[in-house]
């Protein structure tokens, strides 16, 4: 199939691009490279540097090729930043997304697969979280993801668009060539590995007084290759729906650090810091819906394997991707 991948120079978009190409699909990546990495874009893909908010560019892109689907990863995704600058999140995650949807509509692109997030559930008490768990986002990032899911629902009803929202839990791990590089890096596993490599003096543990077994937050870490495979499976769906994507096992911050120490055979210094604003104590997925409906099974569910893949990648790329990301304005 012919797929347009927005945000294909980013962490999850680049891995999905690679896997789509490995499975014989034709991929065009659209990314403005403000956060993404040109080196992460698979050479087999066509690459367009530009913004999903650029209607003229989208028109040109869609008139050149008849795409079967769009996989929409391009988004801003830092929770604290979304609280301090909600305008940026509504613009990038909602307004720009609408521009993409309008261009799809005008050019009769029939399907979109959208990167949603467990952040739409907020702080649920009952674990694991199913797709029916009450949606109650607690920050603008989560709100924008939920808002866009709702836009997709109504566009689907009115215009016949097929839209699948994949609600990722905590994406982690690496492939041989592609790994996680954010600036700033806020995620737990990359920071623990940086501390193991000596690039950080210690790992900050944000709060050890949560109502969890060891007092630190519990998350459901899922390998990016399993996320990529879920995207590819959804291509065969002819309906509008949403799926959770997680392994169904929760690990605390302390367990992640202990597992990393075993993988790296290094004692990792830690420091207990205050809670980070907006962190729910526990987020664990029930992903039975995608298992039943699409036959998705995580191939890399073990935390140790997920961390090992990220550790190997970091050792081979201690400074991230080789050249600095080109910071360019969108067209
Ligand atoms: N944490 C630390 N130290 C760090 C980094 C993180 O203790 O240096 C803790 C966090 O407080 C949290 C856990 O590790 O309890 C996981 O944090 P991450 O930043 O790795 O991931 P989050 O669970 O905060 O974020 C993920 C996605 C977001 C999404 C969010 C929903 O990355 O996109 O889940 O809550 F919005």
């Amino acid at each position: 199939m012919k797929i347009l991948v927005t945000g294909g120079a980013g962490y999850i978009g680049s891995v999905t691009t690679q896997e789509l190409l490995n499975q014989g699909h034709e991929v065009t990546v659209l990314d403005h490279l403000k956060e993404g990495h040109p080196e992460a874009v698979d050479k087999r893909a066509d690459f367009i540097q530009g913004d999903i908010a650029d209607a003229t560019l989208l028109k040109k892109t869609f008139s050149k090729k008849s795409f079967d689907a769009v996989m929409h990863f391009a988004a801003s995704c830092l929770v604290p930043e979304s609280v301090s600058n909600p305008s940026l999140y509504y613009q990038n995650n909602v307004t720009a997304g609408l521009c993409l949807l309008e261009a799809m509509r005008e050019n009769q692109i029939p399907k979109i697969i959208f990167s949603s997030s467990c952040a739409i559930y907020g702080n649920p008490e009952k674990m694991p979280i199913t797709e029916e768990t009450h949606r109650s986002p607690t920050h603008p990032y989560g709100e924008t993801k939920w808002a866009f899911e709702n836009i997709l629902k109504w566009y689907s009803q009115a215009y016949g668009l097929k839209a699948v929202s994949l609600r990722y839990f905590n994406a982690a791990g690496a492939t041989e060539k592609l790994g996680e590089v954010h600036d700033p890096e806020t995620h737990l596993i990359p920071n623990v590995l940086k501390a193991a490599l000596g690039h950080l003096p210690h790992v900050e543990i944000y709060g050890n007084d949560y109502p969890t077994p060891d007092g630190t937050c519990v998350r459901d870490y899922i390998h990016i290759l399993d996320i990529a495979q879920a995207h590819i499976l959804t291509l065969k769906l002819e309906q509008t729906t949403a799926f959770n994507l997680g392994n169904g096992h929760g690990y605390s911050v302390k367990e992640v650090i202990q597992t990393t120490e075993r993988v790296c055979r290094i004692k990792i210094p830690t420091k207990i810091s205050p809670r980070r604003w907006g962190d729910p104590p526990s987020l664990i997925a029930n992903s039975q819906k995608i298992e039943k409906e699409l036959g998705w099974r995580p191939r890399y569910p073990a935390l140790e394997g997920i961390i090992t893949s990220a550790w190997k990648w970091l050792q081979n790329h201690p400074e991230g991707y080789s050249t600095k990301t080109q910071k360019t304005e969108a067209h």
Side-chain angles (χ1 to χ4, degrees):
M1 290 170 92
K2 293 187 182 67
I3 316 292
L4 178 74
V5 176
T6 75
Y11 176 43
I12 307 174
S14 63
V15 173
T16 306
T17 295
Q18 175 190 276
E19 293 306 294
L20 281 164
L21 289 161
N22 287 347
Q23 295 182 32
H25 297 282
E26 196 178 316
V27 180
T28 301
V29 166
L30 173 64
D31 196 302
H32 58 28
L33 296 181
K34 287 181 188 167
E35 286 102 24
H37 309 274
E39 304 87 347
V41 180
D42 197 301
K43 297 277 179 292
R44 295 169 292 172
D46 286 335
F47 177 65
I48 300 167
Q49 184 174 355
D51 201 311
I52 55 162
D54 182 343
T56 313
L57 175 68
L58 289 178
K59 194 173 174 185
K60 206 167 115 193
T61 305
F62 287 139
S63 64
K64 273 193 187 157
K65 205 184 259 184
S66 63
F67 290 97
D68 299 295
V70 171
M71 291 193 180
H72 178 34
F73 297 90
S76 295
C77 62
L78 299 177
V79 171
E81 184 184 52
S82 80
V83 177
S84 59
N85 191 3
S87 158
L88 180 75
Y89 279 70
Y90 278 93
Q91 281 177 48
N92 289 349
N93 296 358
V94 180
T95 312
L98 266 174
C99 182
L100 173 69
L101 284 186
E102 284 306 305
M104 287 178 67
R105 194 155 76 88
E106 275 162 30
N107 292 278
Q108 284 112 43
I109 314 291
K111 195 174 286 180
I112 183 166
I113 295 134
F114 169 57
S115 298
S116 189
S117 167
C118 62
I120 66 165
Y121 297 111
N123 194 355
E125 278 174 19
K126 197 166 167 264
M127 292 298 138
I129 297 167
T130 72
E131 288 79 0
E132 299 314 313
T133 297
H134 183 62
R135 270 75 60 173
S136 184
T138 54
H139 42 70
Y141 168 70
E143 287 282 4
T144 59
K145 290 287 173 184
W146 180 229
F148 201 71
E149 279 203 26
N150 281 310
I151 292 170
L152 291 177
K153 179 184 74 183
W154 294 115
Y155 268 56
S156 167
Q157 187 175 302
Y159 310 125
L161 176 74
K162 307 281 182 290
V164 181
S165 298
L166 293 175
R167 299 171 180 167
Y168 316 151
F169 282 63
N170 285 57
T175 72
E176 200 190 324
K177 292 184 185 154
L178 302 168
E180 188 167 11
V181 183
H182 296 111
D183 185 16
E185 187 52 79
T186 60
H187 294 103
L188 179 64
I189 292 178
N191 279 341
V192 176
L193 291 172
K194 278 184 178 182
L197 206 60
H199 287 193
L200 286 178
H202 53 253
V203 183
E204 292 201 52
I205 298 177
Y206 298 136
N208 63 351
D209 57 353
Y210 282 96
T212 59
D214 67 16
T216 65
C217 288
V218 170
R219 294 289 182 273
D220 185 340
Y221 296 90
I222 171 167
H223 198 289
I224 37 160
L225 279 170
D226 288 325
I227 294 182
Q229 186 55 21
H231 282 78
I232 296 171
L233 288 173
T234 60
L235 286 172
K236 65 184 178 205
L237 262 189
E238 290 299 335
Q239 70 195 74
T240 291
T241 189
F243 296 110
N244 283 346
L245 269 187
N247 282 312
H249 297 287
Y251 295 94
S252 72
V253 172
K254 282 187 180 165
E255 285 173 322
V256 168
I257 295 168
Q258 284 155 7
T259 307
T260 309
E261 288 182 331
R262 275 203 306 280
V263 166
C264 306
R265 296 168 197 228
I266 292 168
K267 179 83 190 139
I268 299 170
T270 59
K271 180 179 168 227
I272 306 296
S273 296
R275 288 182 177 197
R276 194 171 66 174
W277 190 90
D279 274 338
S282 189
L283 292 170
I284 302 169
N286 174 327
S287 302
Q288 281 173 8
K289 186 178 171 201
I290 192 165
E291 292 182 17
K292 277 196 199 121
E293 293 185 20
L294 290 176
W296 176 82
R297 296 274 180 288
R299 280 177 297 168
Y300 309 99
L303 181 65
E304 196 154 320
I306 292 173
I307 293 175
T308 301
S309 70
W311 177 232
K312 275 190 193 153
W313 195 85
L314 188 67
Q315 285 177 304
N316 290 330
H317 305 81
E319 304 301 332
Y321 287 100
S322 54
T323 55
K324 273 244 165 274
T325 303
Q326 260 175 284
K327 302 276 178 193
T328 46
E329 288 307 310
H331 290 217

